[in-house]
Amino acid sequence: MEPVLIVLVVLVVVAFIALIKTIQVIPQASAAIVERFGRYTRTLNAGLNIVVPFIDRVRNRIDLREQVVPFPPQPVITQDNLVVNIDTVIYYQVTDARAATYEVASYIQAIEQLVITTLRNIIGSMDLESTLTSREVINAGLRGVLDEATGKWGIRVNRVELKAIDPPTSIQDSMEKQMRADRDKRASILTAEGARQAAILRAEGEKQADVLKAEGEAQAAVLRADGEAAAIRTVFEAIHDGNPDQKLLAYQYLQTLPELAKGDANKLWIIPSEVGDALKGLGGAFSGLTGANGSGAPAAAAPPAAQVPLDPAAGPRPVDTDKGAARPRIDRTREYPKIDPE
């Protein structure tokens, strides 16, 4: 009984193992390659699949979802002989599990090497500045080459991205200095433009202020002159209407003289030469009121003396005493104003 029992146990175990190998459950978005005696038979899709145990063998399970693979930085030489390190990221998806299994030994490694060689070809024809500013061009070139090469591998490259482009440290320092110089230049230009605009606005404001001030002064001068002219006209009309005589004018003139001496700043008072004429006029007025003998009768008229033109600025007249009579001597070298006999 014991040998029979052992055989039965062995058969049960073999049947259980065969059952496990017969039923294959493939997850969603996955595929499996089945080989029979080492030869490709079929591809198992997602779901429950039945295979022949001990004859069919599931060789490889492949994920059909889009994969992201970052590659380490690769040194690349630009057209201007500068070495830059470029990090790349590949987004790919397996579209044919059979081709990805049998057409290439390791499609990840193949894609990496293809990216490196393509980058060197593209970057080698560009200078550093173009490399830093032409990411889209580089991505498009990489994707075109990868699509053409990986299509027969059953792989579709959806996107290629450059994570970083690192130039040498010395070049980075030079670029930073250049950028700083450009920023300082733009700042200086903007400062100069602001100062220029401010100076122009300030000058225009001062010009307008001077024009308005000049116009105001001109109008004030015109109004002041009109007021003075009106005042003079009013005074003249009042005097003309009052019909004053010479005595009143001489008296008013003498009353006005003390006003000229008022003020703390007056250290010297110059008496005009017309004071003598005013005093003569007043003296003549008072002598006309009383006679020469004090009786009140008018004094006899004195014989008219020879009238000599007076010039206050000329000073005293020279007197000719050669002929016995004191009389003014006329200077022939000077011009005297003419006197109207009337």
Side-chain angles (χ1 to χ4, degrees), residues 2-341:
E2 293 181 0
V4 176
L5 183 60
I6 293 173
V7 171
L8 290 175
V9 172
V10 171
L11 291 176
V12 170
V13 172
V14 171
F16 182 75
I17 295 174
L19 181 62
I20 293 175
K21 288 185 174 292
T22 301
I23 300 174
Q24 297 290 331
V25 178
I26 306 301
Q28 183 67 32
S30 297
I33 302 299
V34 178
E35 293 180 350
R36 179 172 294 176
F37 300 112
R39 183 178 180 181
Y40 170 77
T41 302
R42 58 182 174 139
T43 301
L44 301 180
N45 297 321
L48 182 63
N49 296 275
I50 304 297
V51 297
V52 179
F54 306 109
I55 297 176
D56 294 340
R57 182 174 69 91
V58 178
R59 176 180 177 178
N60 192 13
R61 294 177 183 268
I62 298 175
D63 194 346
L64 300 180
R65 294 174 297 180
E66 185 174 3
Q67 304 293 321
V68 180
V69 179
F71 295 142
Q74 298 295 329
V76 181
I77 300 176
T78 61
Q79 187 179 10
D80 46 0
N81 297 325
L82 294 176
V83 179
V84 295
N85 294 322
I86 300 179
D87 295 348
T88 55
V89 178
I90 302 297
Y91 296 83
Y92 72 94
Q93 185 177 10
V94 177
T95 58
D96 188 353
R98 177 184 174 278
T101 303
Y102 295 105
E103 295 296 334
V104 62
S106 175
Y107 55 84
I108 296 297
Q109 185 178 2
I111 292 174
E112 180 181 2
Q113 297 301 320
L114 186 60
V115 167
I116 293 174
T117 55
T118 306
L119 271 177
R120 289 177 178 174
N121 291 333
I122 296 175
I123 301 299
S125 60
M126 303 171 64
D127 56 7
L128 178 61
E129 185 175 358
S130 300
T131 303
L132 295 175
T133 57
S134 304
R135 290 175 177 262
E136 294 297 331
V137 176
I138 298 174
N139 292 341
L142 278 173
R143 184 177 177 182
V145 174
L146 291 175
D147 282 342
E148 182 180 357
T150 59
K152 62 181 180 179
W153 299 342
I155 296 173
R156 182 178 69 247
V157 177
N158 297 326
R159 191 173 182 84
V160 180
E161 290 292 341
L162 302 181
K163 288 201 309 183
I165 301 176
D166 299 327
T169 305
S170 59
I171 300 300
Q172 291 182 7
D173 296 339
S174 300
M175 293 172 62
E176 290 179 358
K177 292 180 181 179
Q178 182 180 2
M179 293 175 61
R180 191 180 303 111
D182 292 338
R183 287 193 296 267
D184 294 341
K185 177 182 177 181
R186 290 194 297 268
S188 300
I189 292 174
L190 293 177
T191 303
E193 289 291 337
R196 177 174 172 271
Q197 293 294 332
I200 291 175
L201 294 177
R202 191 181 303 110
E204 291 180 354
E206 292 177 356
K207 176 183 176 182
Q208 294 179 0
D210 293 339
V211 170
L212 294 176
K213 183 178 179 181
E215 292 179 355
E217 291 178 355
Q219 294 178 1
V222 171
L223 294 176
R224 194 181 303 112
D226 293 340
E228 292 178 358
I232 294 173
R233 190 180 304 108
T234 302
V235 172
F236 178 78
E237 291 177 357
I239 295 174
H240 183 72
D241 294 340
N243 195 15
D245 53 1
Q246 188 68 25
K247 306 172 188 146
L248 178 60
L249 294 177
Y251 178 71
Q252 292 292 331
Y253 181 77
L254 292 177
Q255 283 186 336
T256 307
L257 288 179
E259 299 295 331
L260 301 176
K262 289 183 179 180
D264 298 334
N266 293 332
K267 304 298 183 182
L268 181 63
W269 186 26
I270 299 176
I271 299 176
S273 60
E274 289 83 355
V275 175
D277 297 338
L279 292 177
K280 289 180 181 180
L282 289 177
F286 285 108
S287 63
L289 296 177
T290 57
N293 54 5
S295 59
Q307 297 182 355
V308 180
L310 297 178
D311 188 1
R317 298 285 187 271
V319 178
D320 188 6
T321 56
D322 295 340
K323 296 183 179 181
R327 61 173 181 170
R329 188 177 57 188
I330 300 174
D331 190 357
R332 302 295 183 180
T333 61
R334 300 189 58 179
E335 294 182 4
Y336 296 95
K338 296 181 181 181
I339 300 176
D340 191 358

